[in-house]
Amino acid sequence: MLTPPHPDNEEARQQSLDRMLLLSTPAEAQFDRVTRTAQRLFGTPMTSFTLVDGDRQWFKSPVGLDVRETGRDISFCGHVVASGHTMIVPNALDDPRFADNPLVTGDPNIRFYAGRPIHNSEGHCIGTLCIIDRTPRAFSEADRQSLDDLGAWLEAMLLNRDLGEAQSELIRELEATRREMLIDPLLWIWNRRGVEDLMQREIKRAARSREPVTVVAIDLDHFKGINDRFGHPAGDAVLKEATSRLREQLRPYDILGRWGGDELIVIAPGVPRGDLEEFGAKLCRSVVARGPLSFGALEIPFSITAGLAQAPVDTGTDFAARLLKAADQALYAAKENGRGTAAVWSGVT
């Protein structure tokens, strides 16, 4: 096995990557679109937007991979970053660099690999867009061009990424290991502690700009029944798919988190009061529009119910708790109206 070398500019490259606030952060819909498209286009079981960081490779947007990181010393992507050029490996067993690599001899049993370097605005190669198969395969010049086009699309997204003030502040202040403590490991969105922190930051931002704060409380409908009927692995898959569909509808600077169990929270800056009902309804529609979840031989229908609350920041105590309570009361009202819908609370109590 050949360990990938570090590029000559490794220190500057790493500093540039750190400034991007990408590492150990929640999943982002814009990058997931690229990796899903790559998987569909090439028909591979695995694809990823991978960041090469220190002594690890970290999968920012993985499809078909069960882990979030592996060692840099065994990474295929590390070789791409070192060279700065696209690398094609038709059959890893025939390549002396990789034939005895643990990722080849064991899970995920890589045979084919194609990785396109991803550069940031400062010109540094920060990682790859890669596709992976468990069987050898050829890769034509047209395939190479398609992978290059997808990589260019991903690089354009990096230029226009906007996480908003609250999330950017939190990510900037915390090192990667501490960030991951605030991320739900199943859904790869903010966990309750993360949401609570971000809520306080958003309240401070809204107070400065004299904007109201908007919160959406979301429940997966009849989730206990899904678990009881289809089993907990199916329930987890439904929850992951619902989260993915919601993320597709949210703006990059909206904050999505798991409040507990099957309850999700959205903090949505800048939504006009008159648009709240449609904002919530759009989220509910987005979850059912793509139909049931295919899970093995099962087709599992599912939907969500949402409650929205909005209020200007006041100087009273427990503003965040009161706003969350109002959103929860709106959620309860929506459930009383038949589920699968959204309701807006008239004010904070």
Side-chain angles (χ1 to χ4, degrees):
M1 185 187 78
L2 179 64
T3 298
H6 287 201
D8 293 339
N9 65 344
E10 176 63 16
E11 183 176 356
R13 188 197 72 85
Q14 182 68 56
Q15 291 172 350
S16 182
L17 173 58
D18 290 340
R19 285 193 291 272
M20 297 181 72
L21 307 182
L22 278 167
L23 294 163
S24 299
T25 55
E28 297 176 50
Q30 57 185 339
F31 303 133
D32 292 346
R33 293 187 189 105
V34 179
T35 50
R36 283 200 309 268
T37 299
Q39 186 191 42
R40 288 195 299 266
L41 178 62
F42 294 108
T44 55
M46 295 167 279
T47 185
S48 178
F49 170 30
T50 302
L51 302 171
V52 176
D53 166 46
D55 60 358
R56 66 173 181 163
Q57 60 173 352
W58 186 76
F59 307 126
K60 171 62 179 170
S61 181
V63 178
L65 292 167
D66 295 328
V67 297
R68 276 283 168 176
E69 65 179 71
T70 67
R72 183 173 180 173
D73 60 330
I74 61 173
S75 72
F76 284 59
C77 296
H79 289 274
V80 178
V81 168
S83 70
H85 300 291
T86 296
M87 182 178 75
I88 312 298
V89 181
N91 186 352
L93 289 176
D94 294 338
D95 192 315
R97 295 172 297 176
F98 304 112
D100 59 348
N101 187 299
L103 301 177
V104 175
T105 59
D107 193 57
N109 298 296
I110 296 173
R111 295 297 178 267
F112 169 83
Y113 172 93
R116 194 268 201 194
I118 299 300
H119 294 84
N120 65 9
S121 61
E122 297 177 356
H124 292 285
C125 183
I126 59 167
T128 72
L129 174 63
C130 62
I131 57 174
I132 302 168
D133 206 336
R134 296 186 178 90
T135 59
R137 60 188 293 171
F139 204 67
S140 68
E141 187 57 37
D143 290 332
R144 183 187 287 263
Q145 183 61 58
S146 295
L147 183 62
D148 190 56
D149 289 344
L150 290 171
W153 179 22
L154 200 158
E155 288 172 340
M157 289 179 172
L158 289 172
L159 289 173
N160 296 291
R161 182 172 178 252
D162 179 13
L163 292 176
E165 181 180 313
Q167 293 186 97
S168 295
E169 276 186 358
L170 177 61
I171 295 168
R172 188 177 292 111
E173 288 177 10
L174 300 180
E175 294 184 357
T177 52
R178 293 184 63 201
R179 290 175 205 162
E180 292 189 14
M181 293 174 63
L182 299 180
I183 296 175
D184 182 86
L186 175 66
L187 306 180
W188 212 254
I189 58 178
W190 298 110
N191 62 22
R192 185 169 183 138
R193 286 177 56 201
V195 172
E196 289 172 341
D197 186 303
L198 289 163
M199 172 72 86
Q200 295 303 322
R201 293 172 189 268
E202 177 58 23
I203 288 171
K204 291 177 182 177
R205 185 206 63 79
R208 290 195 305 270
S209 58
R210 299 184 179 180
E211 296 177 7
V213 179
T214 302
V215 171
V216 188
I218 298 169
D219 267 1
L220 196 67
D221 294 330
H222 307 295
F223 186 62
K224 184 179 183 301
I226 291 174
N227 277 326
D228 291 344
R229 181 179 177 187
F230 301 107
H232 288 279
D236 286 348
V238 168
L239 191 54
K240 289 169 69 175
E241 180 64 17
T243 301
S244 176
R245 296 182 187 187
L246 283 169
R247 190 163 53 236
E248 290 286 329
Q249 297 301 314
L250 295 173
R251 302 160 299 178
Y253 48 85
D254 290 330
I255 297 163
L256 175 62
R258 186 178 189 180
W259 196 243
D262 62 319
E263 185 174 0
L264 307 176
I265 291 289
V266 175
I267 305 171
V271 180
R273 179 76 187 181
D275 294 346
L276 285 178
E277 187 172 351
E278 175 55 25
F279 184 82
K282 183 178 76 169
L283 295 180
C284 293
R285 290 195 302 266
S286 73
V287 168
V288 297
R290 280 160 47 188
L293 170 70
S294 297
F295 185 76
L298 301 173
E299 292 290 318
I300 307 175
F302 62 96
S303 62
I304 63 166
T305 300
L308 296 87
Q310 183 184 90
V313 180
D314 63 39
T315 56
T317 58
D318 300 325
F319 173 76
R322 287 183 285 122
L323 188 60
L324 288 164
K325 180 180 178 181
D328 200 53
Q329 289 174 325
L331 174 64
Y332 180 80
K335 289 180 179 180
E336 289 291 294
N337 290 333
R339 300 180 186 261
T341 61
V344 179
W345 186 248
S346 58
V348 181
T349 57

Coordinates of all heavy atoms in Angstrom, one line a residue, residues 24 170 173-183 190 193 197:
S24 N -16.8 18.9 9.9 CA -17.6 18.5 11.0 C -18.8 19.4 11.2 O -19.1 20.0 12.3 CB -16.8 18.5 12.3 OG -15.8 17.5 12.2
L170 N -21.1 29.9 15.4 CA -21.0 28.7 16.2 C -19.9 27.8 15.6 O -19.0 27.4 16.4 CB -22.3 27.9 16.3 CG -22.3 26.6 17.0 CD1 -21.9 26.8 18.5 CD2 -23.6 25.9 16.9
E173 N -16.4 29.3 16.2 CA -15.9 29.3 17.6 C -15.5 27.9 18.1 O -14.6 27.9 19.0 CB -17.0 29.8 18.5 CG -17.3 31.3 18.4 CD -18.4 31.8 19.3 OE1 -18.9 31.0 20.1 OE2 -18.9 32.9 19.1
L174 N -16.0 26.9 17.5 CA -15.7 25.5 18.0 C -14.8 24.7 17.1 O -14.9 24.8 15.9 CB -17.1 24.8 18.2 CG -18.1 25.4 19.1 CD1 -19.3 24.5 19.2 CD2 -17.5 25.5 20.5
E175 N -13.9 24.0 17.7 CA -13.1 23.1 16.9 C -14.0 21.9 16.5 O -15.1 21.6 17.0 CB -11.9 22.6 17.8 CG -10.9 23.7 18.1 CD -9.7 23.1 18.9 OE1 -9.7 21.9 19.2 OE2 -8.8 23.9 19.2
A176 N -13.5 21.1 15.5 CA -14.3 20.1 14.9 C -14.8 19.1 15.9 O -16.0 18.7 15.8 CB -13.4 19.4 13.8
T177 N -14.1 18.6 16.8 CA -14.6 17.6 17.8 C -15.7 18.2 18.6 O -16.6 17.4 18.9 CB -13.4 17.1 18.7 OG1 -12.8 18.3 19.3 CG2 -12.4 16.3 17.9
R178 N -15.7 19.4 19.0 CA -16.7 20.0 19.7 C -18.0 20.3 18.9 O -19.1 20.2 19.4 CB -16.3 21.3 20.4 CG -15.2 21.1 21.5 CD -14.8 22.4 22.2 NE -16.0 23.0 22.9 CZ -16.1 24.3 23.2 NH1 -15.1 25.1 22.9 NH2 -17.1 24.7 23.8
R179 N -17.8 20.6 17.6 CA -18.9 20.8 16.7 C -19.7 19.5 16.6 O -20.9 19.5 16.7 CB -18.4 21.1 15.3 CG -17.9 22.5 15.1 CD -17.3 22.7 13.7 NE -16.3 23.7 13.7 CZ -15.4 23.8 12.7 NH1 -15.5 22.9 11.7 NH2 -14.5 24.7 12.7
E180 N -19.0 18.4 16.5 CA -19.6 17.1 16.3 C -20.5 16.7 17.5 O -21.4 15.9 17.4 CB -18.6 16.0 15.9 CG -18.0 16.2 14.5 CD -17.2 15.0 14.1 OE1 -17.3 14.0 14.7 OE2 -16.4 15.2 13.1
M181 N -20.1 17.2 18.7 CA -20.9 17.0 19.9 C -22.3 17.6 19.8 O -23.2 17.3 20.6 CB -20.2 17.4 21.1 CG -18.9 16.7 21.4 SD -17.9 17.4 22.8 CE -19.1 17.2 24.1
L182 N -22.4 18.6 18.9 CA -23.7 19.3 18.7 C -24.5 18.8 17.5 O -25.5 19.5 17.1 CB -23.4 20.8 18.6 CG -22.8 21.5 19.8 CD1 -22.6 23.0 19.5 CD2 -23.5 21.3 21.1
I183 N -24.1 17.7 16.9 CA -24.7 17.2 15.7 C -25.3 15.8 16.0 O -24.7 15.0 16.6 CB -23.7 17.1 14.5 CG1 -23.2 18.5 14.2 CG2 -24.3 16.4 13.3 CD1 -22.1 18.5 13.1
W190 N -28.3 19.6 13.5 CA -28.0 20.0 14.9 C -28.8 19.2 15.9 O -30.0 18.9 15.6 CB -28.3 21.5 15.0 CG -27.4 22.4 14.2 CD1 -27.8 23.1 13.1 CD2 -26.0 22.6 14.3 NE1 -26.8 23.8 12.5 CE2 -25.6 23.5 13.2 CE3 -25.0 22.2 15.2 CZ2 -24.3 23.9 13.1 CZ3 -23.7 22.6 15.0 CH2 -23.4 23.5 14.0
R193 N -28.9 20.4 21.9 CA -27.9 21.4 22.5 C -27.5 22.4 21.4 O -27.4 23.6 21.7 CB -26.7 20.7 23.0 CG -26.9 19.9 24.3 CD -25.6 19.2 24.7 NE -24.5 20.1 24.8 CZ -23.2 19.7 24.8 NH1 -22.9 18.4 24.6 NH2 -22.2 20.6 24.9
D197 N -28.2 26.5 21.5 CA -27.2 27.5 21.3 C -27.5 28.4 20.2 O -27.4 29.7 20.3 CB -25.9 26.8 21.1 CG -24.7 27.7 21.0 OD1 -24.7 28.6 20.2 OD2 -23.7 27.5 21.8

